[in-house]
Amino acid sequence: LNQGDVKLTEVTIPEGMPIWKVAATLQTRLLLDSAALMQLNLDRPFLDSLEIPYLEGHLFPETYAFDPGVSLRSVVREMVQMFQQKTDSLWSKQSATGLNKYQTLTLASIIEAETPLASERTRVASVYLNRLRIGMTLDADPTVIYGLGGLDRPLLRDDLDSVTIYNTYRIAGLPPTPINSPGLASILAAMNPD
């Protein structure tokens, strides 16, 4: 009481978590409306104020401590600021891949979803960059799963024919946005492939 300290609520966002799972985590841990987070992803003035085109990929995976009663916008702003703090110095370095910042982030999200092993990330990056270079489809299962809104079952062959803008079996090139919040290691792998 003398110091005015409050009990903070810790929230951990692991690497590779898609936005709808981030929303569910924030609802469980902070009692914030998960649908409201999905709406913020479409709120152009809010996104412009953060200087990002979309939330997916910019909600940095980290353990945060929030005050009770914190607003959703404050939580999102802190997560995006953490992303910027951790990655801003990376974008000034010239990447040999030829990808811009947002393409790199999208590729990093696919790498994050493909492998949990740090030793495989640069190899996975190389495979996808080679496919991009020759105009081949990426054939990335995680993008199909994302386009279907996540799956609570194994991916089926019929799923590969689904018509979504994230189906990299049907559409060549990178999907339009990241498919999760990649960690720093996957971002670096996307910038420095084998």
Side-chain angles (χ1 to χ4, degrees):
L1 288 172
N2 287 336
Q3 295 175 3
D5 291 341
V6 295
K7 182 170 173 34
L8 301 177
T9 302
E10 283 195 352
V11 178
T12 299
I13 304 300
E15 290 89 350
M17 184 177 269
I19 193 168
W20 59 79
K21 288 188 178 178
V22 172
T25 300
L26 295 180
Q27 182 168 330
T28 301
R29 299 289 297 143
L30 298 172
L31 306 177
L32 296 171
D33 184 1
S34 60
L37 176 61
M38 302 308 289
Q39 285 302 313
L40 277 183
N41 197 33
L42 305 173
D43 185 335
R44 180 55 38 209
F46 180 67
L47 295 173
D48 288 346
S49 75
L50 297 173
E51 300 179 351
I52 57 173
Y54 33 76
L55 291 178
E56 190 73 90
H58 293 91
L59 303 174
F60 196 75
E62 183 68 80
T63 296
Y64 299 89
F66 295 109
D67 290 326
V70 66
S71 74
L72 178 61
R73 286 176 182 256
S74 294
V75 169
V76 169
R77 193 170 281 110
E78 185 169 333
M79 295 172 81
V80 171
Q81 287 171 346
M82 180 66 75
F83 169 83
Q84 292 164 338
Q85 177 186 333
K86 298 282 189 178
T87 65
D88 273 358
S89 64
L90 299 178
W91 309 124
S92 63
K93 299 173 183 153
Q94 184 63 26
S95 173
T97 65
L99 301 180
N100 67 32
K101 171 182 177 177
Y102 300 111
Q103 292 168 325
T104 300
L105 190 57
T106 300
L107 177 59
S109 73
I110 297 170
I111 294 165
E112 189 71 60
E114 282 286 0
T115 181
L117 302 177
S119 61
E120 293 180 348
R121 287 189 179 117
T122 55
R123 184 173 300 136
V124 170
S126 180
V127 167
Y128 284 129
L129 284 164
N130 285 336
R131 289 178 184 178
L132 286 171
R133 185 177 43 79
I134 64 174
M136 179 181 170
T137 55
L138 295 182
D139 295 351
D141 292 355
T143 64
V144 176
I145 293 168
Y146 184 87
L148 293 172
L151 294 175
D152 56 0
R153 60 168 171 76
L155 187 68
L156 304 175
R157 185 163 298 283
D158 286 348
D159 295 330
L160 304 182
D161 294 326
S162 63
V163 180
T164 76
I165 58 175
Y166 290 91
N167 188 338
T168 56
Y169 280 84
R170 296 177 59 97
I171 301 169
L174 291 165
T177 68
I179 60 170
N180 60 45
S181 294
L184 208 50
S186 291
I187 295 171
L188 289 170
M191 296 179 81
N192 302 289
D194 276 352

